[in-house]
Amino acid sequence: MRREKHLFGGMPRLTLGLLATLVLALWLCPATGFAEEPVDVGPGGEPVMVAQDEGPALETQVVTHAHDGVEFKAWDDDDRLPDAGNYYLTKDVTLGSSWVLNGNIILCLNGKKITYNGSDKKAVWVVQGKLDLYDEASDQGSIASGVNNVIYISTNATFNMHGGTITGNNADSNRSGVSIAGGAFIMSGGTITESGGVYAHEESTFNMSGGTITGNSAKKGGGVYLEHDTTFNMSGGTITGNSAEEGGGVYLVSEEGDGVNLAATFIMSGGTITKNSATNGGGVYVSGGINHTLYSFPAAIMAISGVASVSGNTDADGTHASNVFVGQGENGNERSHYPAYDAKITVAGALSDGASFGVTMPKPVGTFTAGFKEKTDGADPATYFASDDDTYAVTADGNGEGMLAVVYPVTVAEGIEHGTVEVNKAKAAEGASIKITAKADDDYELDTVTVKAADGTQIETKDGSFTMPAKAVTVSATFTRRAEPQPKPEPEPEPQPTPAEVPPVSVTAHVQRRGTLAAVSGGKVAGTTGRSLRMESIRLTVPGASASGGIEYRGHVQHKGWEKSFVRDGKLSGTEGRSRRLEAVQVRLWGDMAGKYDVWYRVHSQRYGWMAWAKNGESAGTQ
């Protein structure tokens, strides 16, 4: 707009104020590029603005500061803060007394720092109403204090943290970065660090959907401490790098107060708790309860669903995994002889891919979940849970709930030749299914697989697997060279018809898992075909022969070769009870029978089927 030549004549203070306003507008909007206006002198000698003869008209531009659709006013004081309204800081603020809030205020730190150096135990006290804290500056501003509580939230008050940093107080008792005394703390962004974390008590509520709680320490609950019937809902955000004696990330207490049974509740549907540390419960400590005539209180409650994760936490030394400590009624202290309420991890909804929880129990064998089977349609608990101590493993109890059980080693025997053997688990709890994979070298084939317990008991295998007993086991196998098939003569000889007066040959076979079978004669099959059962021995006779002499025979035995001599007339050829198969036989007649008759025979091989006929001492089979 055009200005008259002596528009502000006679008003030197307003003229100077306008000059200051123009300088401020140029700082807020450096890209505007206003032209410099000439300055004249008024009747009293005061400077005045004059209109330009050429160029564009000068216009006033207002620049706002806003978050989530809320506009903020500038706060320029450096020693106090507003009581109500929406403000952003333009400079650092140092407070000598508590900032007490009884109304609603929205404050943007704007990269600035609020420091409290007073003597009161509360740097910021939200008595009632609501405090919203923002900061979108690349270098986040902070509220820092060395007193007991940086921010204290009373009953009927709410603190919404969208950004910024709360810091400057490591807790040794009830000290904390944020103390919730009956009110509500809603954290969607920002950082709480180098303080006592969050301390919730007196029926408070803490909802966390974003932000980070990190680098805090306390005796219990380095990141978050919950007591007095409080509830912590975590759907996002990260709790990491905190430390304590118990509950490095989160501590849940259960206790009696004013005759009322009080239990803390932690509902976790998302977010991550990792890289925290504590002597017990590096990630989360869930207290057990107790039932006694003088006092009684239930266990604390941890309920999970979704993609929540408590993993990668350690003990105080950082040497062993320590994630969720599931208390078991007084946790084995001097009151443990009283009836106890064991804590459980309640599965409140379906668990998604990526959900992961390490588990420790003071009495390391037992059930630690409730509702798992129902909410996961009977999934394997080991899909989502793992034991922090590798002496134990996660398995399902009789009701399909997650439990910790003792594991026993599964060892593959040394010195196995001509092949390899692998198992899918190096340790397993009783009842687990163990799969065996045996692979033969070239020109060899698998012969036997044996599983023996530490006490020598042989464990049955089926389809390459076995069920783990409550003891250590060793798995071994043998491999044999693959036999070359015997060439079939062309044409294949056929035995001559047996004259009526020729006596039959009787054969008695001993077969794997079947034992000694009934004798057969007249050309019938002795043994089995198509069942993968090895023949281990034979006995041959020629009953009712009129000529003198008889029948003699010998076998080629697995791992031993040909027997040194032939045996005669019903004596054992081969072995029994040693798991060694007959691989070939030689049969012949002796005495007068050898001059009157020929004996024909053939064998059925597992790999090659029926092989060629042999006669009068020739070899039949593979060797």
Side-chain angles (χ1 to χ4, degrees):
M1 61 183 178
R2 285 286 177 186
R3 300 181 186 273
E4 297 298 328
K5 185 173 182 180
H6 295 286
L7 183 63
F8 295 103
M11 301 175 64
R13 291 185 181 179
L14 289 178
T15 303
L16 292 174
L18 177 59
L19 288 174
T21 301
L22 288 175
V23 171
L24 178 61
L26 289 173
W27 174 72
L28 286 174
C29 302
T32 302
F34 292 127
E36 182 178 357
E37 291 189 340
V39 179
D40 204 345
V41 180
E46 73 280 7
V48 297
M49 300 300 299
V50 297
Q52 298 182 73
D53 294 331
E54 297 179 358
L58 182 64
E59 296 182 355
T60 303
Q61 181 171 348
V62 179
V63 178
T64 61
H65 189 108
H67 298 293
D68 295 339
V70 178
E71 294 188 359
F72 293 74
K73 301 176 182 179
W75 183 263
D76 298 326
D77 288 358
D78 62 4
D79 59 355
R80 68 185 186 93
L81 290 168
D83 297 326
N86 311 331
Y87 293 93
Y88 68 92
L89 300 183
T90 62
K91 60 185 68 175
D92 292 342
V93 177
T94 300
L95 300 176
S97 59
S98 298
W99 182 29
V100 180
L101 301 177
N102 287 286
N104 297 333
I105 186 165
I106 304 177
L107 181 69
C108 175
L109 294 175
N110 195 34
K112 303 299 185 281
K113 183 175 181 179
I114 298 173
T115 303
Y116 175 74
N117 58 16
S119 59
D120 191 85
K121 295 182 179 181
K122 307 175 184 66
V124 179
W125 185 2
V126 187
V127 178
Q128 58 184 353
K130 181 173 65 174
L131 168 62
D132 283 82
L133 185 68
Y134 287 88
D135 196 344
E136 294 183 359
S138 57
D139 187 6
Q140 292 269 291
S142 65
I143 302 177
S145 170
V147 299
N148 284 23
N149 303 289
V150 179
I151 295 183
Y152 188 90
I153 309 166
S154 296
T155 303
N156 299 323
T158 300
F159 172 36
N160 294 315
M161 186 173 182
H162 309 278
T165 299
I166 296 172
T167 186
N169 173 34
N170 282 321
D172 57 10
S173 178
N174 291 335
R175 297 185 176 191
S176 58
V178 176
S179 179
I180 320 167
F185 174 30
I186 301 171
M187 185 177 185
S188 59
T191 302
I192 300 174
T193 186
E194 296 181 6
S195 68
V198 177
Y199 172 44
H201 53 114
E202 300 179 22
E203 301 183 20
S204 301
T205 299
F206 174 28
N207 296 334
M208 184 178 185
S209 60
T212 302
I213 300 175
T214 184
N216 303 285
S217 62
K219 185 174 182 180
K220 294 183 178 181
V224 179
Y225 183 98
L226 306 173
E227 67 170 25
H228 294 312
D229 201 20
T230 55
T231 300
F232 175 24
N233 297 295
M234 185 176 184
S235 59
T238 302
I239 299 176
T240 185
N242 305 284
S243 62
E245 293 180 13
E246 294 180 332
V250 179
Y251 182 91
L252 288 75
V253 71
S254 177
E255 61 184 62
E256 181 188 41
D258 298 328
V260 178
N261 295 331
L262 305 173
T265 300
F266 178 27
I267 302 172
M268 188 178 188
S269 59
T272 301
I273 299 176
T274 188
K275 296 182 181 179
N276 304 282
S277 63
T279 303
N280 291 313
V284 179
Y285 187 106
V286 187
S287 297
I290 194 169
N291 183 15
H292 186 255
T293 55
L294 298 179
Y295 43 82
S296 177
F297 47 88
I301 299 169
M302 180 177 181
I304 61 172
S305 63
V307 292
S309 175
V310 184
S311 60
N313 303 280
T314 67
D315 61 9
D317 297 329
T319 56
H320 298 93
S322 178
N323 288 290
V324 181
F325 183 93
V326 184
Q328 293 175 299
E330 288 299 312
N331 305 325
N333 70 9
E334 66 275 7
R335 298 180 182 175
S336 61
H337 58 283
Y338 298 142
Y341 297 120
D342 291 347
K344 294 285 190 296
I345 300 175
T346 299
V347 181
L351 296 173
S352 305
D353 292 343
S356 176
F357 303 88
V359 179
T360 297
M361 300 171 70
K363 292 179 286 188
V365 175
T367 300
F368 61 83
T369 68
F372 177 84
K373 181 178 181 181
E374 176 188 355
K375 299 299 183 181
T376 63
D377 295 327
D380 183 357
T383 304
Y384 305 103
F385 300 96
S387 173
D388 289 333
D389 184 346
D390 60 10
T391 307
Y392 307 93
V394 172
T395 186
D397 68 8
N399 297 317
E401 295 296 332
M403 70 171 291
L404 292 183
V406 178
V407 293
Y408 303 91
V410 181
T411 305
V412 176
E414 297 180 355
I416 296 176
E417 298 180 341
H418 311 306
T420 59
V421 175
E422 296 179 351
V423 290
N424 64 329
K425 295 180 181 179
K427 295 180 179 180
E430 180 183 9
S433 179
I434 309 300
K435 184 178 181 181
I436 305 170
T437 302
K439 184 178 180 181
D441 293 342
D442 292 342
D443 299 326
Y444 285 83
E445 60 187 4
L446 177 65
D447 181 26
T448 62
V449 174
T450 304
V451 180
K452 287 188 176 181
D455 60 3
T457 304
Q458 186 160 327
I459 309 301
E460 181 181 2
T461 62
K462 183 177 181 181
D463 298 328
S465 299
F466 69 94
T467 301
M468 188 71 184
K471 57 193 72 175
V473 298
T474 300
V475 181
S476 61
T478 59
F479 300 87
T480 57
R481 183 177 291 277
R482 185 180 295 113
E484 294 295 333
Q486 297 292 324
K488 292 184 178 182
E490 295 292 344
E492 182 177 290
E494 292 293 335
Q496 297 297 319
T498 303
E501 68 273 13
V502 175
V505 177
S506 175
V507 185
T508 303
H510 184 89
V511 177
Q512 173 190 6
R513 294 206 296 270
R514 300 287 298 276
T516 302
L517 305 180
V520 296
S521 60
K524 294 182 179 180
V525 175
T528 63
T529 61
R531 298 186 180 182
S532 299
L533 299 176
R534 62 179 173 267
M535 179 182 287
E536 298 178 346
S537 69
I538 57 172
R539 301 172 189 264
L540 306 182
T541 61
V542 185
S546 58
S548 64
I551 192 166
E552 62 183 9
Y553 43 93
R554 69 172 180 169
H556 187 282
V557 180
Q558 178 187 5
H559 301 321
K560 294 182 65 177
W562 286 107
E563 294 174 310
K564 293 181 179 180
S565 58
F566 285 77
V567 295
R568 294 181 175 181
D569 304 327
K571 292 185 178 180
L572 176 72
S573 174
T575 62
E576 294 181 2
R578 297 187 179 181
S579 301
R580 293 179 177 175
R581 65 174 175 265
L582 273 180
E583 297 177 330
V585 294
Q586 295 173 338
V587 183
R588 67 191 182 190
L589 300 172
W590 63 277
D592 290 346
M593 292 187 67
K596 295 182 65 174
Y597 307 106
D598 293 320
V599 56
W600 290 79
Y601 47 93
R602 67 173 178 171
V603 299
H604 185 279
S605 168
Q606 178 182 4
R607 183 175 294 274
Y608 303 109
W610 284 108
M611 302 186 71
W613 286 95
K615 68 174 182 176
N616 299 336
E618 295 176 346
S619 296
T622 61
Q623 59 192 63

